[in-house]
Amino acid sequence: MKMAFLFINAILIASLATLAYASDPSPLQDFCVAVNDANATVFVNGKICKNPNKVVAEDFFFSGLNKPGNTSNAVGSRVTAVNVNQIPGLNTLGISLVRIDYAPYGLNSPHTHPRATEILVVIEGTLYVGFVTSNPANPNLRNKLFTKYLYPGDVFVFPEGLIHFQLNVEKTNAVAFAGLSSQNPGVLTIANAVFGSYPPINPAVLTKAFQVEKNVIDQLQAQF
Ligand SMILES: *[C@@H]1O[C@H](CO)[C@@H](O)[C@H](O)[C@H]1NC(C)=O
Ligand SMILES: *[C@@H]1O[C@H](CO)[C@@H](O)[C@H](O)[C@H]1NC(C)=O
């Protein structure tokens, strides 16, 4: 009886531990400021800790997020990231920040963060935002699109791993800030990854996947 109970407990704990791997692990100390070692040959899940006696306030500091990002590019948006690569003190803490600037009608293209949920607040302008669900068995939730128009002060959440976007729908600039639940959320921009990979994906794969003629795929691959 007791053995069976322990066995079930072990399975429960193992399954919970597996779930937890989807996000940043919890820290095992107050902080683990990332050491900047260009020659590191030891790879851990995160970055190696600096000697805590040598940690200073600057390790937890970043300045400049008041400055707009340069939106002169094909999509008219710019993400300025403040993650563990900008603030070494974020190492192991499971959180980061971005500023997003949008030119008039600028787009933050459909993308995913493989390791983070995002919570976004609009500071200036009007954004049309949305995300699409994955392909669960429940047909009512399969690739379902959730969208919203956001105005200054509005907050919206993009769940971890799901494809999402933001479009500035006005002829003026827009600005948003977002928190992300990883020290290193990662970003995978769908168009660039699928049509702009290096080397390119064989068009035989893409013509069938997108159900179009090869000339359409050639045109898309030429764009990215
Ligand atoms: C990295 O290795 C190179 C070549 O061995 C050396 O010159 C350099 O000083 C090292 N850098 C650090 C930060 O240790
Ligand atoms: C913004 O980016 C464009 C394109 O790369 C560049 O030509 C321009 O000089 C940049 N503007 C500023 C203020 O850095």
Side-chain angles (χ1 to χ4, degrees):
M1 186 71 183
K2 191 159 181 207
M3 279 307 286
F5 176 76
L6 285 177
F7 182 68
I8 288 164
N9 251 2
I11 288 176
L12 271 177
I13 288 165
S15 60
L16 285 175
T18 310
L19 283 177
Y21 287 139
S23 301
D24 290 17
S26 300
L28 300 176
Q29 59 282 303
D30 279 2
F31 51 71
C32 163
V33 172
V35 70
N36 185 13
D37 181 0
N39 293 343
T41 52
V42 178
F43 296 96
V44 294
N45 193 16
K47 296 181 186 270
I48 302 165
C49 307
K50 181 175 174 179
N51 178 349
N53 294 326
K54 297 195 172 152
V55 167
V56 292
E58 290 290 320
D59 290 327
F60 302 94
F61 176 77
F62 177 90
S63 183
L65 222 49
N66 57 326
K67 294 193 193 80
N70 186 342
T71 57
S72 303
N73 53 54
V75 290
S77 78
R78 173 73 61 183
V79 176
T80 307
V82 184
N83 56 43
V84 71
N85 299 311
Q86 286 74 36
I87 304 185
L90 280 178
N91 192 36
T92 74
L93 298 183
I95 195 167
S96 60
L97 183 70
V98 293
R99 171 183 173 134
I100 315 171
D101 288 278
Y102 310 83
Y105 309 112
L107 172 71
N108 188 8
S109 301
H111 64 279
T112 79
H113 302 292
R115 293 176 288 279
T117 290
E118 174 172 347
I119 182 165
L120 176 140
V121 57
V122 177
I123 301 302
E124 187 186 318
T126 307
L127 297 179
Y128 168 73
V129 307
F131 68 83
V132 181
T133 64
S134 63
N135 318 350
N138 177 352
N140 297 326
L141 282 178
R142 196 168 303 158
N143 299 148
K144 185 169 180 179
L145 174 67
F146 292 81
T147 63
K148 191 90 182 144
Y149 283 90
L150 303 182
Y151 304 93
D154 289 356
V155 174
F156 198 77
V157 172
F158 304 105
E160 181 163 324
L162 301 188
I163 293 178
H164 61 281
F165 58 83
Q166 301 108 29
L167 176 70
N168 178 2
V169 292
E170 295 288 352
K171 57 177 186 286
T172 51
N173 290 336
V175 182
F177 287 82
L180 294 122
S181 61
S182 171
Q183 68 176 39
N184 183 26
V187 59
L188 194 165
T189 305
I190 309 305
N192 305 31
V194 176
F195 299 110
S197 69
Y198 179 78
I201 297 176
N202 187 325
V205 173
L206 299 178
T207 50
K208 190 149 283 184
F210 289 88
Q211 300 280 295
V212 293
E213 300 295 327
K214 184 169 176 298
N215 64 323
V216 178
I217 298 299
D218 291 344
Q219 199 183 342
L220 284 164
Q221 286 187 325
Q223 286 296 316
F224 292 97

